[in-house]
Amino acid sequence: MSTRQVNTPGWASPMFDETVAQFDAVAELMDLDDNIRERLRHPQRSMVVTFPFRRDDYEDVDTVYGYRVQHTITMGPTKGGVRFADDVNLGEVAALAMLMTWKCAIVGLPFGGAKGGVRIDPAILSSHEKQRITRRYTSEIIDFIGPERDIPAPDMGTDAQTMAWMMDTYSQQKGHAVPSVVTGKPPELGGSVARREATGRGCVSLLPPAATSRGMAVAGLRVVVHGFGNVGQYAAVAAAELGCKVIAVSDISGGVHDEAGLDIAALQAWVALNGSLAGYEDCDRISNEELFALDCDVLIPAAIQGVITDSNAADIKAQIVIEGANNPTTTAADAILRDRDVMVIPDIIANAGGVTASYFEWVQDIQKYFWSENEIVARLREIMATAFDEVMQISIKEGVDLRTAALIKGVRKVTNAKMVRGVFP
Ligand code: NAD
């Protein structure tokens, strides 16, 4: 008799359902074992916490929601970011944890996927408030994480400082310093010198092979970047270093556009000083909607999920889309881009540079032996290039798009690991 779950789990949401539907389609294509297929559709462990948070004025005490989801613990500890945003929910975090499983498998890391979040708008927090939220959230999930268990990292709305507070809170509880409990820390605490730039640079490291496969020369390509935070800024820097023209970037405040190519260093300095692109006047201002429809060769969505939809996919002029953000393209939009022969390098490989550099950081922390920046960058490039090449080969052999090919690679690796471990008891 089948014991398959038919009730609606707590993580059901449009984003989770879409992520599972993506997996289901690939599982069907691979003729995946039914039992494995069912098992991988559900996160293995998920935790919801609520905790009190006192504002600086000492009058208001809010109740805040926090989440941590571990998708599969078959291959090793789980790994994934922590995001602070006012609409974070269990379904979103569960979907991102599943995507992290495939991502780690695609680049061959010994991790399962995880993700965490706190439902709060980081923009309204003072530094003291953010520190209190981070420490209390860490304390609530402290038995759930650990260097051999689950290793958080920065994501939207969190950064190296947030990771330093998480590491300190965890270490205070353990009674000794445990740098390997988080990655993306400041270098003073054993953080990797190259982690901050790794995701954006990793994305753009796939641009030359992608362009070559389309018969396009890299120098002079017109690049547009949506999102100008950690990923977007370093993607823009790396694209400019390759000789591309970055003609537009945007953030939550809107976009800036210059056909002659933007001064990325000046924009970074502006954002560092002012917090966003708002008020930058040395070029044309455009809206985020206008940015997606710009005439360009390469589009790098590097902000939030669900921004390329069936409403704007037909307007995209880029021939290559490199997904820096997680889940920026809806399933419907993906089909439109595929029909229009736009090459989409999916998030699960395009932004895997971040978790790969995090893996290096974890290894170095555990061994207490640190590599030079050149060593880190060279190993990162090699892993990204090899994984992309393998995904391209699967895509050609199976006659499928790159997202499907990448998922086949990731799901195959996880499936093989599950099969050899067997079912307990
Ligand atoms: P971040 O917080 O540093 O930057 C986010 C950027 O997006 C900011 O410029 C913000 O203004 C902009 N933004 C937010 N909402 C927007 C909107 N509605 N329209 C336009 N712009 C908007 O975050 P990040 O670390 O750069 O992460 C960006 C994306 O990349 C996320 O999807 C994240 O999950 C993914 N990602 C990040 C890493 C990493 O190493 N940081 C690794 C893998 C994937």
Side-chain angles (χ1 to χ4, degrees):
M1 191 185 72
S2 172
T3 54
R4 300 250 144 112
Q5 295 293 310
V6 287
N7 53 329
T8 308
W11 50 81
S13 68
M15 188 165 164
F16 185 75
D17 294 347
E18 198 154 274
T19 306
V20 172
Q22 215 176 53
F23 163 71
D24 280 344
V26 169
E28 192 61 31
L29 205 68
M30 295 169 71
D31 198 17
L32 200 68
D33 176 273
D34 275 351
N35 296 308
I36 292 276
R37 188 184 304 203
E38 181 59 17
R39 186 70 201 98
L40 287 173
R41 298 173 92 242
H42 307 275
Q44 186 152 358
R45 295 172 174 170
S46 56
M47 186 177 211
V48 181
V49 297
T50 63
F51 53 89
F53 159 55
R54 197 178 53 208
R55 307 297 306 242
D56 281 345
D57 62 16
Y58 270 63
E59 277 177 15
D60 293 337
V61 177
D62 297 333
T63 295
V64 174
Y65 282 66
Y67 308 92
R68 188 75 189 167
V69 173
Q70 299 165 355
H71 175 249
T72 176
I73 61 170
T74 303
M75 290 89 57
T78 48
K79 185 92 195 73
V82 173
R83 52 172 56 180
F84 285 5
D86 58 3
D87 56 355
V88 168
N89 57 74
L90 184 61
E92 172 182 333
V93 171
L96 292 167
M98 184 183 283
L99 288 173
M100 276 302 288
T101 295
W102 314 141
K103 192 180 299 180
C104 292
I106 289 163
V107 283
L109 309 181
F111 296 133
K115 204 77 179 186
V118 176
R119 192 188 295 172
I120 193 132
D121 178 2
I124 63 160
L125 300 176
S126 70
S127 175
H128 289 302
E129 288 174 339
K130 194 167 179 186
Q131 177 170 178
R132 283 204 294 281
I133 290 257
T134 304
R135 288 185 181 280
R136 181 65 191 248
Y137 167 69
T138 308
S139 168
E140 292 292 337
I141 63 165
I142 207 147
D143 292 331
F144 213 49
I145 59 174
E148 301 299 333
R149 194 170 274 231
D150 180 12
I151 306 127
D155 195 81
M156 268 169 55
T158 57
D159 56 16
Q161 178 60 72
T162 322
M163 292 306 111
W165 291 327
M166 287 192 83
M167 177 267 181
D168 184 68
T169 306
Y170 187 87
S171 300
Q172 293 296 343
Q173 294 294 318
K174 299 292 162 192
H176 57 97
V178 190
S180 51
V181 66
V182 290
T183 57
K185 303 175 291 293
E188 295 83 344
L189 295 177
S192 169
V193 276
R195 172 63 184 86
R196 187 170 155 69
E197 305 187 6
T199 308
R201 285 191 177 278
C203 266
V204 171
S205 75
L206 303 183
L207 177 52
T212 305
S213 77
R214 289 268 162 149
M216 298 155 85
V218 175
L221 287 179
R222 290 161 308 152
V223 176
V224 164
V225 183
H226 177 252
F228 202 62
N230 181 343
V231 180
Q233 287 190 30
Y234 290 108
V237 168
E241 282 173 7
L242 283 176
C244 302
K245 243 196 302 182
V246 181
I247 60 165
V249 302
S250 70
D251 68 10
I252 195 153
S253 70
V256 290
H257 173 220
D258 186 345
E259 275 303 311
L262 293 163
D263 181 344
I264 304 302
L267 289 165
Q268 283 186 293
W270 179 272
V271 170
L273 199 65
N274 301 288
S276 79
L277 293 166
Y280 189 86
E281 295 296 349
D282 283 354
C283 48
D284 295 340
R285 299 289 317 192
I286 52 168
S287 67
N288 274 295
E289 294 73 43
E290 288 167 331
L291 175 127
F292 280 112
L294 278 178
D295 194 10
C296 65
D297 304 300
V298 180
L299 171 65
I300 306 180
I304 52 167
Q305 64 268 15
V307 290
I308 303 180
T309 66
D310 51 358
S311 319
N312 64 5
D315 302 329
I316 286 173
K317 313 282 189 311
Q319 283 195 53
I320 299 174
V321 174
I322 308 179
E323 295 184 336
N326 282 314
N327 235 5
T329 313
T330 65
T331 306
D334 213 23
I336 295 171
L337 295 175
R338 195 166 49 240
D339 288 348
R340 294 184 48 223
D341 198 29
V342 176
M343 179 183 213
V344 178
I345 305 181
D347 48 6
I348 42 176
I349 176 148
N351 67 30
V355 70
T356 305
S358 274
Y359 163 63
F360 295 159
E361 181 176 330
W362 176 73
V363 166
Q364 293 168 79
D365 285 339
I366 287 172
Q367 296 185 341
K368 312 223 178 316
Y369 176 74
F370 292 90
W371 314 342
S372 72
E373 184 165 359
N374 285 347
E375 272 176 289
I376 297 170
V377 172
R379 289 184 204 213
L380 179 64
R381 282 220 186 99
E382 191 189 330
I383 286 184
M384 292 292 288
T386 306
F388 185 63
D389 188 48
E390 286 167 5
V391 168
M392 287 284 266
Q393 296 308 322
I394 295 173
S395 157
I396 293 164
K397 184 161 171 255
E398 306 287 340
V400 293
D401 60 67
L402 291 175
R403 190 182 312 278
T404 308
L407 281 167
I408 290 175
K409 183 170 192 284
V411 171
R412 191 179 283 155
K413 177 144 194 241
V414 178
T415 300
N416 291 345
K418 281 210 166 289
M419 289 304 242
V420 287
R421 273 191 70 159
V423 179
F424 174 83

